Amino acid sequence: MAASVAAAAGRIRRAIRRSPPWQGLCFRALSSEAPPTQAAAVRDAFLSFFRDRHGHRLVPSASVRPRGDPTLLFVNAGMNQFKPIFLGTVDPRSEMAGFRRVANSQKCVRAGGRHNDLEDVGQDLSHHTFFEMLGNWAFGGEYFKEEACSMAWELLTQVYGIPEDRLWVSYFGGDPKAGLGADLESRDIWLNLGVPASRVLSFGPQENFWEMGDTGPCGPCTEIHYDLAGGVGAPQLVELWNLVFMQHNREADGSLQPLPQRHVDTGMGLERLVAVLQGKHSTYDTDLFSPLLNAIHQGCGAPPYSGRVGAADEGHIDTAYRVVADHIRTLSICIADGVSPGMSGAPLIVRRILRRAVRFSTEVLRAPPGFLGSLVPVVVETLGGAYPELHKNSAQIVSLVSEDEAAFLASLQRGRRIIERTLKRLGPSDVFPAEVAWSLSLSGNLGLPLDLVELMLEEKGVQLDSAGLARLAQEEAQHRAQQAEPVQEQGLRLDVHALGELQRRGVPPTDDSPKYSYSLRPSGGYEFSTCEARVLQLYAEDGRAVATTGEGQRYGLLLDRTNFYAEQGGQASDRGYLVRVEQQDVLFPVAQAQVCGGFILHEVVAPECLKVGDRVQLHVDEAPLTPKQLQAVEDTVQEAVGRDEAVYMEEVALARTTHVPGLRSLDEVYPDPVRVVSVGVPVAHALEPASQAALQTSVELCCGTHLLRTGAIGDLVIVGERQLAKGTTRLLAITGEQARQAREVGQSLAQEVEAAAERLSRGSRDVVEAQRLSKDMGRLTDAVDTSVMPQWQRRELQATLKALQRRANTAIRKLEMGQAVLKTQELLQRHSEGPLIVDTVSAESLSMLVKVVRQLCKQAPSTSVLLLSPQPLGQVLCACQVAQSATPAFTAEAWALAVCSHMGGKAWGSRVVAQGTGSTADLEAALSAARAYALNQL
């Protein structure tokens, strides 16, 4: 009997690893009598269960835009917002620091990055880019395995009414390589809850050991699975709920150490749970999606959705239904949370999702223009009750979706025309140029997905130059890497063990209130009060706590109080130095200050010995830091500077700031009480219920160190801008002396542009002078693009230079055309009527040479022409055109390639006109090769 159970368990393990969820599985409903449970009721039942029966605090879903976590493009799991608790870095003054047992329904997006389901969506019946994760958490050992398993079993079997015989569980079977034994505690809990041993399976670390990343908190997990078959034939299991028990920490060396505090982290996908409770074959068949699928059918007139996949889905109709339904949910959620279509990072992923949805809706479902925007109200109706931000931002979502859909459709039409023109220039066996495909792609100008470009070419029976495309992609990646901002050196940090030890010892968080102790001198400079503190702990670079420092080494210094501002909220860390109270002639430079879990760690280089218990004085460098982001245009800021308004600062309860219209804040966790900064209006007045002050001046939540009067700025110049996403622009500004210098640079460049315009108005005597002026325009354009100068002036000069460059190019073309006519007459006098002209001519540029060739062929239509023009240092320019009466085998591109290859160069062009370059000292040999090739073709 035991052997047969073990054999069956082995087969089930293999089935779980091997089988994709949902697709192709038979399904037996929970009950033929029970009515289906609506998705909203399922979500509410989960939250009510943990709140009312088990005392959990309900917290709202975090935005899908991660807060202060550069490792994520999107929030992709319920635990993301609680990472500071798991890592021990939560600010003890924040609301989150008080969390003990919480539950919520978290919005999650898995598209791009490590977890990316984008290309799978539509191909099967289960993948989504947006989904809801139901979860409950216990922090700091509030409860652990027994309570977590019992609650989960109670909810599934008693509240949702899932028969116990349909549920299987798995637990961690151990990992001998890591020295981890099996999680027998979880196994025994399930057995005590009444789960038969035959339905309790053990798995290894790949299935039942959860890790946050390469390092950090981790632990065994136990999973609850649902049997779709319901006892009919072999079990067909899908994962329903994952319960993670964080009790270890993965160290940098790969080893596992016990966590100072244990946590419970559970997650259950709402879409899959609803499918089970409603007895549906697929998540797309539930009431979370059926309103959307019906709206798609009504809006585009395609056949009704029938849930087909793979080869059975003729014309990919059902695939398109799933793609559009999933993607419009994701787009609505992302835009409501402030992630709009853009050009990099998460906004670029949103842009790709939108364009993928447009592609399937127009190309497959034949939807009319504006169709996607019409689906947004359906999403709002379906999800807006749980996520009110959808109602609040519905108009903006419709606008952005519709605008980008229209832009993409216009790009699609332009792309088709470019492809048609390119195909006309290609020979029957030619591959489509990679450069053209790249220019059409999301990485190029039109923003078409490359797979769509390939599909459009495939429909015309043309192959894309894949090797060339790979080369361009590699070059683009290298270029981006070169342009990327250098990675800043990681400062010293307190890890989860160091933080746990400080908390165990009862060490209070660092008192950083002295950072606000500064005043404005009559001279205009700032005076920072000194701060005396005691050394509580020293940390070596490897994170070890040490009692003393060695000379010349870098250390992390923990004090009981500080006047240094630690990097946070977009403001850089203060720099400065400290001295020992009893020996003030030795300076310990402070490179930066970092905050971890309320403790501020000062990074110092120790010139001499420093030890725990020493008394020190801290001194902050007095240079004002350059602001990097402004929320008003330059003239508005300068008006405020001119008024020399007072800047008011006050700490207030966080709850008083939640409903102030116009109050500015970053997307991060604030302490309570929070510091409010108000320009020109006392904080108390700005926070009055009827006050409109925050709509008329700057009132913000900010723990940064601020000027005391606006006049101290002196001058401010906006010198740059960057569009982060549609409707969101970052402005870069400089102040004081740097602002004055920027204005001088702008004035100097404006004078140079004016002088260039005067030169252009006087006209050029010849092509060489005109080309020199054009190059000067290019040099000026580069200088204007890259100099630190007023942005408004940069924009004006760029527009002026663009117009001047066009005029200069027009002048060059006219001069070249005039010279081309003269050179054409000279060549016609040297050559009698005939089918061929092969000769040399002086030309300053390739464009000039092409004009001469075109003039010759215009005046002698039955003549094929190839001209060479020797240049300095042995280079030779080549241009040719074949007569319209020439045989089809005689093409200009092949003719130019034959001649330029003879000279060791390259050529390009079309069947009629081509050009190229090479190098040779024997011009006559090149001319002979040109004549021989042409005569052979003629």
Side-chain angles (χ1 to χ4, degrees):
M1 179 65 180
S4 62
V5 170
R11 289 195 297 273
I12 292 170
R13 290 191 191 98
R14 291 191 293 273
I16 291 176
R17 293 189 179 111
R18 182 175 63 245
S19 301
W22 304 105
Q23 183 171 333
L25 297 178
C26 64
F27 194 102
R28 184 179 166 198
L30 289 176
S31 168
S32 59
E33 301 174 1
T37 306
Q38 299 300 304
V42 173
R43 186 192 300 112
D44 290 344
F46 180 92
L47 298 175
S48 299
F49 171 81
F50 282 102
R51 179 191 60 202
D52 300 338
R53 293 199 189 184
H54 297 286
H56 285 62
R57 177 176 183 171
L58 300 187
V59 298
S61 168
S63 163
V64 295
R65 181 178 60 185
R67 282 179 170 178
D69 190 343
T71 65
L72 293 175
L73 286 169
F74 300 99
V75 165
N76 57 25
M79 53 75 60
N80 287 163
Q81 67 170 311
F82 305 117
K83 283 175 71 172
I85 299 180
F86 300 138
L87 295 171
T89 60
V90 64
D91 189 328
R93 299 169 297 175
S94 68
E95 182 183 33
M96 186 180 291
F99 289 174
R100 290 297 174 265
R101 52 175 70 192
V102 300
N104 82 343
S105 177
Q106 172 64 48
K107 301 171 292 185
C108 299
V109 173
R110 290 188 177 174
R114 182 178 178 185
H115 300 285
N116 183 10
D117 290 341
L118 179 56
E119 295 303 324
D120 294 321
V121 169
Q123 305 302 318
D124 58 25
L125 300 175
S126 61
H127 277 96
H128 304 291
T129 52
F130 164 73
F131 63 96
E132 299 177 68
M133 183 72 81
L134 303 173
N136 62 290
W137 291 267
F139 302 118
E142 175 72 10
Y143 60 78
F144 207 47
K145 296 179 182 180
E146 183 171 3
E147 295 91 337
C149 294
S150 298
M151 291 176 193
W153 194 254
E154 179 187 1
L155 176 64
L156 293 178
T157 60
Q158 296 182 25
V159 176
Y160 290 139
I162 300 177
E164 294 186 6
D165 61 4
R166 301 289 289 271
L167 297 176
W168 296 58
V169 296
S170 63
Y171 67 94
F172 179 53
D175 182 8
K177 292 182 179 179
L180 293 173
D183 183 12
L184 300 181
E185 181 183 359
S186 291
R187 181 202 64 180
D188 293 343
I189 291 169
W190 291 119
L191 294 175
N192 290 335
L193 285 170
V195 184
S198 59
R199 297 207 305 272
V200 180
L201 309 177
S202 67
F203 288 94
Q206 185 175 351
E207 295 85 1
N208 280 89
F209 193 88
W210 189 91
E211 305 207 35
M212 184 182 295
D214 294 334
T215 60
C218 55
C221 62
T222 183
E223 296 175 337
I224 304 175
H225 301 265
Y226 179 77
D227 181 8
L228 295 172
V232 180
Q236 296 176 329
L237 306 183
V238 292
E239 178 192 332
L240 205 57
W241 203 344
N242 189 10
L243 286 64
V244 179
F245 306 120
M246 293 192 185
Q247 58 191 87
H248 305 287
N249 191 74
R250 179 73 69 180
E251 305 295 322
D253 62 3
S255 64
L256 290 172
Q257 297 294 332
L259 275 175
Q261 292 187 320
R262 302 186 303 181
H263 313 286
V264 172
D265 163 24
T266 86
M268 175 165 57
L270 174 67
E271 291 78 6
R272 185 173 292 180
L273 174 63
V274 170
V276 165
L277 296 178
Q278 295 182 359
K280 300 298 184 182
H281 291 274
S282 160
T283 52
Y284 288 96
D285 294 331
T286 67
D287 65 331
L288 285 168
F289 286 90
S290 55
L292 271 172
L293 297 174
N294 291 334
I296 294 170
H297 170 59
Q298 309 239 340
C300 65
Y305 177 71
S306 59
R308 295 166 300 177
V309 295
D313 183 18
E314 295 183 9
H316 306 293
I317 297 294
D318 288 343
T319 298
Y321 266 101
R322 290 188 289 270
V323 168
V324 173
D326 171 88
H327 287 7
I328 195 61
R329 281 167 36 107
T330 305
L331 291 167
S332 299
I333 288 291
C334 287
I335 295 173
D337 279 351
V339 188
S340 301
M343 297 304 294
S344 63
L348 177 59
I349 301 299
V350 172
R351 186 179 184 220
R352 285 176 173 160
I353 292 171
L354 197 154
R355 299 199 161 194
R356 190 170 188 257
V358 174
R359 172 189 162 192
F360 275 92
S361 66
T362 58
E363 299 279 322
V364 180
L365 298 176
R366 305 298 178 188
F371 171 68
L372 279 185
S374 71
L375 298 177
V376 172
V378 184
V379 178
V380 175
E381 180 65 25
T382 306
L383 298 175
Y387 309 112
E389 58 273 17
L390 286 169
H391 283 289
K392 179 181 177 182
N393 298 297
S394 60
Q396 180 193 19
I397 299 168
V398 172
S399 175
L400 284 173
V401 168
S402 299
E403 285 180 23
D404 208 87
E405 178 184 7
F408 179 57
L409 291 174
S411 296
L412 202 58
Q413 293 302 319
R414 289 172 55 198
R416 286 197 177 98
R417 291 195 295 269
I418 292 171
I419 289 174
E420 291 293 343
R421 288 201 302 269
T422 306
L423 291 178
K424 289 178 181 177
R425 299 199 303 266
L426 296 180
S429 61
D430 292 341
V431 294
F432 193 84
E435 290 78 8
V436 178
W438 188 260
S439 72
L440 298 175
S441 73
L442 279 164
S443 301
N445 300 322
L446 289 189
L448 304 182
L450 271 174
D451 60 345
L452 177 57
V453 175
E454 291 187 72
L455 184 62
M456 294 163 71
L457 293 174
E458 185 180 316
E459 291 171 352
K460 296 184 177 295
V462 179
Q463 185 178 356
L464 177 62
D465 179 8
S466 302
L469 202 62
R471 174 180 51 80
L472 289 172
Q474 184 178 10
E475 291 174 359
E476 172 74 7
Q478 291 173 347
H479 176 71
R480 287 184 181 275
Q482 292 169 356
Q483 297 297 316
E485 295 182 5
V487 178
Q488 295 184 348
E489 182 181 356
Q490 181 77 8
L492 294 171
R493 294 288 193 276
L494 293 173
D495 64 18
V496 67
H497 301 297
L499 290 166
E501 176 61 18
L502 291 170
Q503 293 160 1
R504 187 191 64 78
R505 287 164 45 191
V507 178
T510 309
D511 174 14
D512 64 346
S513 59
K515 70 185 178 186
Y516 297 123
S517 179
Y518 56 93
S519 58
L520 188 62
R521 298 192 188 104
S523 63
Y526 275 83
E527 182 175 6
F528 293 84
S529 301
T530 57
C531 174
E532 189 167 310
R534 183 169 63 89
V535 179
L536 300 180
Q537 188 62 66
L538 295 161
Y539 295 91
E541 288 195 73
D542 61 5
R544 289 180 298 109
V546 295
T548 61
T549 67
E551 294 182 12
Q553 300 297 311
R554 190 170 70 135
Y555 288 89
L557 183 65
L558 185 63
L559 307 172
D560 60 345
R561 61 200 307 263
T562 182
N563 59 348
F564 276 67
Y565 181 83
E567 180 182 347
Q568 57 188 315
Q571 180 171 337
S573 161
D574 281 337
R575 291 171 175 262
Y577 63 93
L578 58 87
V579 296
R580 285 193 294 255
V581 171
E582 69 276 7
Q583 187 182 4
Q584 300 204 3
D585 58 334
V586 179
L587 272 61
F588 293 76
V590 179
Q592 60 178 329
Q594 302 286 340
V595 60
C596 302
F599 298 101
I600 294 178
L601 197 66
H602 304 72
E603 185 178 312
V604 302
V605 175
E608 288 190 2
C609 176
L610 194 67
K611 61 183 184 298
V612 172
D614 282 350
R615 302 294 302 181
V616 296
Q617 281 185 351
L618 294 95
H619 300 265
V620 176
D621 287 345
E622 296 182 7
L625 296 172
T626 302
K628 293 184 177 179
Q629 187 175 9
L630 296 175
Q631 297 186 350
V633 294
E634 184 176 313
D635 55 350
T636 303
V637 177
Q638 288 179 329
E639 287 176 11
V641 172
R643 290 194 298 268
D644 191 26
E645 294 180 303
V647 179
Y648 298 91
M649 290 160 274
E650 185 178 333
E651 284 196 347
V652 303
L654 185 61
R656 289 185 60 195
T657 69
T658 55
H659 301 295
V660 178
L663 184 76
R664 294 159 182 84
S665 62
L666 293 174
D667 187 17
E668 63 175 40
V669 177
Y670 285 94
D672 191 3
V674 67
R675 189 174 175 83
V676 179
V677 181
S678 175
V679 175
V681 178
V683 172
H685 174 62
L687 296 184
E688 290 175 357
S691 174
Q692 299 291 303
L695 296 172
Q696 299 159 0
T697 187
S698 175
V699 182
E700 62 180 275
L701 305 183
C702 186
C703 298
T705 46
H706 287 259
L707 300 172
L708 300 182
R709 301 195 69 86
T710 60
I713 293 173
D715 192 9
L716 179 141
V717 171
I718 295 173
V719 295
E721 59 187 330
R722 180 187 175 195
Q723 186 170 351
L724 302 179
K726 191 174 182 65
T728 305
T729 300
R730 172 180 292 162
L731 301 178
L732 180 66
I734 55 178
T735 60
E737 176 64 17
Q738 289 184 342
R740 186 189 65 78
Q741 293 175 359
R743 294 189 192 281
E744 291 180 355
V745 169
Q747 189 60 35
S748 175
L749 285 171
Q751 292 171 356
E752 287 193 58
V753 172
E754 185 178 354
E758 291 178 2
R759 285 172 57 197
L760 184 61
S761 299
R762 290 196 299 267
S764 302
R765 293 167 297 178
D766 53 34
V767 173
V768 173
E769 184 180 346
Q771 288 176 337
R772 186 182 303 118
L773 180 56
S774 179
K775 289 180 180 178
D776 288 343
M777 298 289 186
R779 178 188 59 80
L780 269 175
T781 299
D782 290 341
V784 168
D785 289 345
T786 58
S787 295
V788 178
M789 61 182 294
Q791 184 68 4
W792 66 265
Q793 194 172 30
R794 187 195 319 278
R795 286 286 194 86
E796 286 189 354
L797 294 183
Q798 285 172 333
T800 301
L801 283 167
K802 188 174 182 179
L804 292 176
Q805 189 73 67
R806 283 199 299 266
R807 288 174 54 193
N809 292 341
T810 300
I812 290 171
R813 284 196 297 271
K814 288 182 178 178
L815 288 167
E816 286 184 341
M817 190 59 70
Q819 288 193 14
V821 171
L822 293 175
K823 294 179 186 296
T824 297
Q825 296 304 321
E826 294 173 3
L827 286 165
L828 288 174
Q829 289 174 8
R830 291 211 304 265
H831 293 270
S832 58
E833 279 292 318
L836 188 65
I837 295 179
V838 175
D839 207 338
T840 63
V841 68
S842 62
E844 290 80 8
S845 66
L846 202 49
S847 64
M848 173 69 182
L849 191 61
V850 171
K851 287 182 175 66
V852 177
V853 168
R854 287 186 178 278
Q855 280 291 318
L856 275 170
C857 290
K858 184 178 181 181
Q859 298 194 29
S862 60
T863 303
S864 296
V865 178
L866 183 143
L867 298 179
L868 300 179
S869 179
Q871 303 291 305
L873 304 177
Q875 187 185 32
V876 178
L877 307 179
C878 172
C880 65
Q881 181 171 335
V882 298
Q884 293 182 358
S885 58
T887 61
F890 186 20
T891 69
E893 187 176 26
W895 193 12
L897 184 60
V899 176
C900 292
S901 297
H902 178 84
M903 297 187 295
K906 58 182 181 179
W908 59 95
S910 65
R911 193 188 71 80
V912 179
V913 182
Q915 53 194 294
T917 60
S919 297
T920 182
D922 191 352
L923 207 58
E924 282 301 324
L927 292 170
S928 297
R931 292 189 190 96
Y933 182 90
L935 291 172
N936 184 53
Q937 296 297 322
L938 291 172

